[in-house]
Amino acid sequence: MMLKDSFAEVGAFETLRKVSAIGYNAVEISQIPMTPENVGELDRSRTELGMDIAALSVNIEGRKGMPVESLADNFDKIVDDAKRLDSSLLRIGMLPFGAMKSLDSVVEFAKQANGYAERLQEHGISLYYHNHHIEFAKFDGKYMLDIIADNSPAMGMEIDVHWVQRGGLDPVRTLEKYAGNTAMVHLKDYRIGQMPESSFGLLEKGDFPGFMAEFRNVVQFAEVGEGNLDFPSIIPAAVAAGARYLLVEQDELYGRTVWDALQTSYDNLVAMGHADLF
């Protein structure tokens, strides 16, 4: 997802050559059109760069404006691409927006996903669900994420530690809770940024609602090690939970380049003593 602009500019292979040069040896494909050209370059990156295509992204049903193939419309192609790229993991990146509106909608989505997960297992492919913060809303005292898990036993979890924190839970305890059912973990930090200078101008103008909007928006995504998450505890918990891949991701960069952000996360992980992860 972080690299989609580079994919569009120079292609998949040249993008992943730069990723490999930093020190990363695996990548998850998200928000990238799975055109014949892109699939071919991803395959080339496996053989020439040693890049592991860790997982591919899918939706249950098509979504307008999103370059993600759906299991409803593209099942056979998704299976073929996964086998060509030696990717045995598929992941759903977000709950369908319509499924967020009620308990019944959540259950319906989970059961539908479970049906596809069972079909995919026949092809040696596993399906996983990636959380945001919305999944920690409660229905009748139960977290939405637990409702999804209970109604989709054939589908595993991809735990995103930033979004767990933003949802008000402890990432380590959440990883422990889903141990054995988590194949992938997203590593991105949780930073409280500084108030922008412009916000104080709003205050001087008497725009208190505008100032408070800026105040509420100081929560930021951050490079691993540049925020407040306890990665020395999170990473061992992720490994203990059975994660096959720990994937660095950052949704917003705040003026930095994607390459600077990836380099910072890499350097910080190495400094923490986790060079063996790469």
Side-chain angles (χ1 to χ4, degrees):
M1 176 272 292
M2 297 176 68
L3 299 163
K4 59 186 177 183
D5 290 341
S6 181
F7 267 61
E9 291 169 7
V10 300
F13 183 80
E14 289 304 321
T15 297
L16 296 186
R17 188 202 297 274
K18 295 176 72 173
V19 171
S20 179
I22 295 174
Y24 295 98
N25 297 305
V27 66
E28 176 184 88
I29 305 303
S30 176
Q31 299 184 30
I32 303 297
M34 293 298 283
T35 61
E37 181 180 20
N38 278 342
V39 173
E41 290 199 20
L42 290 173
D43 195 19
R44 180 185 171 200
S45 74
R46 294 175 55 244
T47 57
E48 295 188 25
L49 302 174
M51 184 64 65
D52 189 349
I53 309 302
L56 306 179
S57 296
V58 296
N59 285 335
I60 296 297
E61 297 179 344
R63 185 182 298 172
K64 291 181 179 179
M66 291 293 290
V68 181
E69 293 175 337
S70 73
L71 292 166
D73 300 326
N74 312 106
F75 187 91
D76 291 340
K77 180 183 182 299
I78 289 169
V79 169
D80 289 344
D81 287 346
K83 289 184 176 180
R84 179 179 179 183
L85 298 174
D86 195 27
S87 299
S88 61
L89 310 180
L90 299 180
R91 40 90 66 181
I92 297 171
M94 178 177 281
L95 188 71
F97 299 137
M100 300 177 186
K101 63 184 179 181
S102 69
L103 174 58
D104 288 343
S105 299
V106 173
V107 172
E108 181 181 359
F109 158 76
K111 290 183 175 180
Q112 190 176 13
N114 192 68
Y116 282 114
E118 291 177 343
R119 284 181 61 188
L120 288 166
Q121 287 176 348
E122 297 173 3
H123 299 274
I125 298 171
S126 300
L127 183 64
Y128 294 84
Y129 179 78
H130 169 272
N131 69 279
H132 289 79
H133 56 358
I134 188 70
E135 290 86 0
F136 299 106
K138 290 183 178 180
F139 290 100
D140 298 328
K142 191 170 186 177
Y143 292 124
M144 184 193 296
L145 192 61
D146 289 332
I147 294 169
I148 293 172
D150 288 348
N151 287 277
S152 57
M155 181 168 66
M157 291 290 169
E158 178 180 53
I159 298 297
D160 186 308
V161 297
H162 171 98
W163 286 111
V164 170
Q165 180 73 26
R166 198 175 283 222
L169 279 75
D170 173 37
V172 170
R173 292 180 64 185
T174 301
L175 287 164
E176 291 171 348
K177 179 177 181 178
Y178 292 105
N181 198 35
T182 300
M184 296 169 285
V185 173
H186 275 191
L187 304 181
K188 58 172 170 261
D189 220 329
Y190 181 102
R191 176 174 58 212
I192 303 301
Q194 294 184 344
M195 292 289 290
E197 186 66 30
S198 59
S199 65
F200 298 100
L202 295 173
L203 198 60
E204 291 174 2
K205 294 177 183 178
D207 185 359
F208 187 67
F211 176 83
M212 289 306 298
E214 296 284 6
F215 178 82
R216 288 188 293 270
N217 287 331
V218 294
V219 173
Q220 295 182 352
F221 304 97
E223 297 83 356
V224 176
E226 297 295 313
N228 298 333
L229 292 186
D230 181 11
F231 281 102
S233 297
I234 288 171
I235 291 173
V239 173
R244 291 171 53 186
Y245 295 98
L246 308 183
L247 298 154
V248 170
E249 183 189 49
Q250 191 173 337
D251 298 45
E252 297 181 32
L253 300 173
Y254 313 101
R256 300 197 75 197
T257 71
V258 66
W259 306 111
D260 288 341
L262 288 173
Q263 186 71 59
T264 297
S265 289
Y266 176 87
D267 291 344
N268 287 345
L269 283 165
V270 170
M272 292 176 198
H274 296 299
D276 60 310
L277 293 176
F278 295 96

